[in-house]
Amino acid sequence: MVRKTLIAGNWKMNGLLDDGIALAKGVGAEFKKTGRRDCEVLVCPPFTLLTSVKKAIKGTRVQLGAQDCHFESKGAHTGDVSPVMLKDLGCQYVIVGHSERRTNHGESNELISKKAAAAIEAGLKVIICIGETEQERDAGKTIDVCTKQIMGSVPQNATDKNTVIAYEPVWAIGTGKTPTTKDVEDVHAAIRKVLAKKCGRAVANKMRILYGGSMKPTNAKELLALPDVDGGLIGGASLKVADFAAIIEASK
Ligand code: PEP
């Protein structure tokens, strides 16, 4: 089963014009140098940088993604950005359901499913984030929580071609803590079983499941080598060209 590795950088609310462009150019140059075609590289800058980053990565095969979208195509939604707009601007991907949106903006599985469905409809690929809190993990509820999130936030039109799942334990995001490699593999394998129920076995076997949460050059190789880990969603370490390039290298 060949699932093409995806290394995705989530810049979050970071980057002004000059440093954002420099970061994008650096990532583009590093990835171009590798000449690799066995993996996809994606950067997801804030909305304000999408146009400039698009220019900066031109000709490098680095792809462009946004960090969120609305579920409507247009209308009276002050401050929101629609998937149709993101597609129009040149994005290939959009992240939905990141834990920071679930927590800080009260996003429900139902809302995330609507966003993902609309993004797919607009011709974007979606990265749907799931993951348990520390409290849920300590209570032994990791698989239950991920199951509910998948069943509730993966839309009906999801296929392996338009949807990627990112398993991001909330307690591992930006903390420097990571689960053991056994825990990561066990959860990813369990997620794939739930995806089989949701989307059918054939689709589930081809759908990529990324790991996210304090992935860095020093732990990337062992995490990315796990059989059910098909890439990484990287926050902090995607903000430094050398670190992000080292993670891409570790995916070989
Ligand atoms: C993230 O926010 O998606 C993430 C994985 O962050 P970090 O790599 O900083 O833990």
Side-chain angles (χ1 to χ4, degrees), residues 180-244:
T180 62
T181 47
K182 183 180 180 324
D183 284 349
V184 173
E185 179 53 23
D186 288 352
V187 177
H188 278 232
I191 289 170
R192 204 173 296 288
K193 279 197 187 138
V194 179
L195 286 171
K197 278 196 201 129
K198 178 87 192 181
C199 315
R201 186 172 299 278
V203 168
N205 282 342
K206 288 187 273 176
M207 193 174 279
R208 292 174 292 182
I209 306 173
L210 312 183
Y211 169 77
S214 297
M215 188 182 277
K216 44 188 185 261
T218 48
N219 62 19
K221 203 163 185 79
E222 59 176 353
L223 288 164
L224 294 170
L226 297 169
D228 277 296
V229 173
D230 308 309
L233 181 56
I234 298 119
S238 72
L239 296 173
K240 288 193 185 136
V241 174
D243 287 356
F244 197 55

Side-chain angles (χ1 to χ4, degrees), residues 10 12 98 100 129 168 172-176 212-215 233-237:
N10 172 15
K12 311 195 188 193
H98 191 280
E100 286 150 17
C129 302
E168 301 204 300
I173 296 178
T175 59
S214 297
M215 188 182 277
L233 181 56
I234 298 119

Side-chain angles (χ1 to χ4, degrees), residues 119-130:
I120 291 168
E121 186 65 33
L124 293 165
K125 294 178 187 173
V126 291
I127 299 178
I128 302 174
C129 302
I130 60 168

Side-chain angles (χ1 to χ4, degrees), residues 8-182:
N10 172 15
W11 294 7
K12 311 195 188 193
M13 196 171 71
N14 291 295
L16 299 180
L17 270 178
D18 285 353
D19 48 319
I21 292 168
L23 176 58
K25 281 191 174 157
V27 169
E30 288 297 323
F31 186 49
K32 198 171 179 183
K33 255 196 270 172
T34 68
R36 285 178 63 190
R37 299 209 163 245
D38 61 332
C39 99
E40 282 183 54
V41 171
L42 168 70
V43 289
C44 301
F47 291 129
T48 49
L49 289 177
L50 285 170
T51 302
S52 314
V53 167
K54 183 188 161 189
K55 286 188 198 134
I57 57 177
K58 197 163 181 244
T60 67
R61 294 184 48 253
V62 171
Q63 300 184 73
L64 185 67
Q67 299 171 17
D68 183 42
C69 66
H70 199 275
F71 57 84
E72 297 281 10
S73 310
K74 60 177 182 174
H77 301 286
T78 303
D80 283 315
V81 175
S82 85
V84 175
M85 291 168 171
L86 295 174
K87 178 71 184 171
D88 183 48
L89 191 140
C91 287
Q92 286 101 344
Y93 279 87
V94 62
I95 299 170
V96 293
H98 191 280
S99 74
E100 286 150 17
R101 295 215 58 91
R102 289 179 185 263
T103 306
N104 303 344
H105 299 266
E107 293 197 2
S108 64
N109 288 324
E110 193 189 353
L111 176 64
I112 293 157
S113 173
K114 282 170 82 172
K115 290 182 176 201
I120 291 168
E121 186 65 33
L124 293 165
K125 294 178 187 173
V126 291
I127 299 178
I128 302 174
C129 302
I130 60 168
E132 82 287 358
T133 63
E134 187 150 41
Q135 217 184 354
E136 289 163 340
R137 172 193 177 235
D138 291 346
K141 292 185 179 157
T142 298
I143 306 294
D144 280 359
V145 170
C146 291
T147 300
K148 275 200 195 92
Q149 290 175 333
I150 291 168
M151 295 316 264
S153 55
V154 175
Q156 290 302 329
N157 56 352
T159 69
D160 52 286
K161 298 206 170 48
N162 59 31
T163 301
V164 176
I165 304 297
Y167 169 57
E168 301 204 300
V170 178
W171 53 272
I173 296 178
T175 59
K177 294 192 236 169
T178 48
T180 62
T181 47
K182 183 180 180 324

